[in-house]
Amino acid sequence: MRQRLAISVISAGVFFSPLLFAQTASKEKTAKDQTGAFDPHDLSGKWNRVSPFQTYSNVPGGANELQAYILGQAPAPQKLDVETAEAPFTAEGKAKFDKNIPSYGRRITAPMLGNDPQAMCDPWGVPRMLNGQVAGPHATIEMVQLPDRMFTFSQWHHDYRVVWTDGRQLPKLDEVEPRWNGYSVGKWEGNTFVVNSLGFDERTWLDHNGYPHTDQMRLEERYRRLDADTLELVETITDPQYYSKPFRSDTKIWKLDREGGKTWDEQIYCVPSEEFKFNKLIRDGNVGK
Amino acid sequence: MGKQLISYVVFGIISGAPIFAHHGTSVTYQTDKTLTMTGIVTEFSFSYPHPQLYFDVKDADGNVQHWGSEFGPTPLMMKNMNLGWTRDSIKPGDTVTITCNPHRVPGSTACLAKELIINGKKLPMGGGRPPTQGKE
């Protein structure tokens, strides 16, 4: 059932936010470059997601309340109206969702009491790599096209995925071993780049709100370059065990980060020796014990 | 537990806004409260996922309690803020006066740094000036 969600935005306290870095110093460049020519079949570049949902879909509690303010698109404080809809869970899918305890969204729980796989430095996997809760230039994606494949690099966890574009067919589900980023093939349908994937490791979440999937999940991604600086992505998963019908993402919008693409290379590995010390002493509050 | 090792001041609400970080900061710390204390730095870990400052706080009776505080941004983000100080600006043995949000776990000695004074000099934590995108 659809509902209207009015989110109050408060500006105080954002200065420690990684999202503050989404404040696009390249706004002037973007405006100028939007008039430039572009090849709709070239998706190369560093892309920062700017659409409000930092979750797989427009689920309740999935919008980043501060995004519009951070991106300079609205003053703060302000109201951001976003339309939301809950995932079409099966009973089994809902039960699995309830077992995933996130540190974001409506079910926000202290990380020490949660079970987000990223706390153990597990890979985000696909599609979470596309739906991460952190924005550019701090953590975003870069796409690189080669004649036979496309790479998508993720700053977060310093990961990448491969999309084969050499004309091969997607294998059957029982022919591939489940893996973190799945097995992906892509092709152009007009000016839309369509990626179909399967063979996912079911330990990953779709996003930081804890939406689950099985290893039977199939994913379709549809990319369109709307202008020189704007990329659109819509994802749809089909996973009948957990979702009663295909589960479509919101329409995600990405902006080309020309300046950050030249200079920003944070190399955000999740290093267990650093992460676990942080978790034990700081996150879990055990410093002096 | 015996003596209160430190004295601290809890200020009023300074912000009810969630602080977005990848570790669920807003549910880890009491972001509506702050405490201020002075101690001696034992370690400054300018590392991922967030920089951490460890320090000892001594009360009037000489009892020492070990504390730790995280900074919200990542190291490269802090560097990019052009804060006027670096990873070498804090060393073991330095005197630190810190204002921070206390952890939600009762009795915890971890907190989220808000203001930092090292050897009498205030080190900006960011906030007044947006980062310069892309520079390092």
Side-chain angles (χ1 to χ4, degrees):
Chain A
M1 182 175 175
R2 290 195 169 271
Q3 56 183 301
R4 209 67 187 169
L5 179 66
I7 298 172
S8 298
V9 175
I10 305 170
S11 63
V14 301
F15 294 118
F16 287 95
S17 166
L19 295 173
L20 186 61
F21 274 69
Q23 201 158 18
T24 50
S26 61
K27 253 189 306 188
E28 292 179 7
K29 275 181 172 291
T30 301
K32 183 176 65 180
D33 291 332
Q34 278 175 345
T35 62
F38 68 100
D39 178 358
H41 285 206
D42 180 11
L43 306 184
S44 299
K46 180 177 182 295
W47 298 95
N48 296 338
R49 198 181 60 242
V50 298
S51 43
F53 285 91
Q54 293 199 93
T55 41
Y56 169 76
S57 191
N58 58 331
V59 293
N64 168 20
E65 297 90 329
L66 298 170
Q67 189 87 18
Y69 161 65
I70 289 166
L71 296 175
Q73 296 170 343
Q78 54 111 34
K79 297 272 187 190
L80 175 65
D81 291 333
V82 290
E83 197 170 71
T84 61
E86 190 49 276
F89 285 125
T90 63
E92 188 177 359
K94 178 61 165 59
K96 179 63 176 174
F97 177 64
D98 290 342
K99 289 180 180 175
N100 292 348
I101 305 172
S103 300
Y104 300 88
R106 291 192 307 172
R107 304 184 301 144
I108 187 168
T109 303
M112 61 185 294
L113 303 174
N115 55 12
D116 188 335
Q118 77 168 359
M120 298 297 289
C121 287
D122 282 5
W124 269 1
V126 173
R128 185 170 177 178
M129 182 190 292
L130 306 168
N131 307 320
Q133 76 272 20
V134 280
H138 173 55
T140 182
I141 63 169
E142 181 160 9
M143 302 174 81
V144 177
Q145 289 180 231
L146 296 177
D148 64 343
R149 72 195 78 179
M150 177 180 287
F151 290 110
T152 302
F153 296 94
S154 168
Q155 284 271 351
W156 197 257
H157 288 194
H158 213 253
D159 198 359
Y160 73 95
R161 58 91 65 108
V162 180
V163 177
W164 299 105
T165 56
D166 55 1
R168 73 181 67 185
Q169 297 297 306
L170 196 63
K172 293 186 173 67
L173 196 53
D174 59 6
E175 293 174 340
V176 296
E177 193 64 26
R179 62 197 75 178
W180 295 109
N181 295 337
Y183 187 105
S184 303
V185 298
K187 63 180 180 182
W188 289 96
E189 294 181 0
N191 287 338
T192 302
F193 186 59
V194 181
V195 180
N196 281 287
S197 309
L198 48 67
F200 293 102
D201 188 315
E202 65 184 6
R203 286 175 292 178
T204 65
W205 293 2
L206 298 181
D207 57 30
H208 68 259
N209 275 16
Y211 285 81
H213 66 85
T214 72
D215 59 8
Q216 304 295 301
M217 176 179 73
R218 292 173 180 268
L219 169 69
E220 181 190 72
E221 299 153 73
R222 301 183 72 87
Y223 295 86
R224 280 196 309 153
R225 192 165 185 171
L226 303 181
D227 59 42
D229 291 277
T230 308
L231 179 67
E232 176 192 86
L233 166 63
V234 176
E235 308 157 56
T236 303
I237 63 165
T238 303
D239 192 358
Q241 191 175 337
Y242 281 179
Y243 299 94
S244 60
K245 60 182 181 180
F247 181 23
R248 183 185 183 278
S249 77
D250 60 306
T251 300
K252 300 189 181 301
I253 300 295
W254 308 71
K255 290 292 183 182
L256 188 62
D257 184 356
R258 296 174 186 276
E259 192 62 30
K262 295 175 186 172
T263 57
W264 191 265
D265 179 24
E266 190 165 5
Q267 301 185 24
I268 313 171
Y269 291 94
C270 191
V271 180
S273 62
E274 293 180 341
E275 189 83 6
F276 296 165
K277 175 186 176 185
F278 174 87
N279 287 349
K280 179 182 178 183
L281 296 180
I282 300 292
R283 186 198 74 175
D284 298 351
N286 292 317
V287 175
K289 292 181 181 175
Chain B
M1 198 169 162
K3 297 178 180 178
Q4 178 71 25
L5 295 179
I6 63 162
S7 61
Y8 61 84
V9 180
V10 177
F11 294 103
I13 294 175
I14 56 172
S15 168
I19 298 172
F20 288 88
H22 90 279
H23 290 95
T25 306
S26 62
V27 287
T28 298
Y29 300 101
Q30 301 176 65
T31 53
D32 60 340
K33 295 176 181 174
T34 58
L35 56 88
T36 297
M37 54 194 144
T38 297
I40 301 299
V41 172
T42 60
E43 179 187 357
F44 181 44
S45 179
F46 201 65
S47 62
Y48 285 79
H50 303 286
Q52 303 136 55
L53 179 67
Y54 297 94
F55 51 97
D56 288 336
V57 177
K58 188 184 294 184
D59 69 7
D61 296 330
N63 299 303
V64 174
Q65 195 168 36
H66 189 49
W67 278 77
S69 177
E70 72 161 294
F71 302 169
T74 65
L76 193 56
M77 291 166 69
M78 295 197 73
K79 181 175 175 59
N80 221 37
M81 285 179 179
N82 300 314
L83 299 172
W85 57 278
T86 70
R87 64 191 307 150
D88 298 321
S89 300
I90 307 175
K91 296 180 173 61
D94 287 347
T95 298
V96 55
T97 297
I98 189 169
T99 298
C100 55
N101 297 137
H103 203 283
R104 290 188 183 276
V105 171
S108 171
T109 55
C111 63
L112 173 65
K114 304 295 289 185
E115 291 183 6
L116 194 61
I117 298 173
I118 300 293
N119 297 331
K121 181 183 177 183
K122 186 173 182 178
L123 303 188
M125 301 290 289
R129 183 170 46 183
T132 302
Q133 183 164 342
K135 286 190 175 181
E136 290 188 19

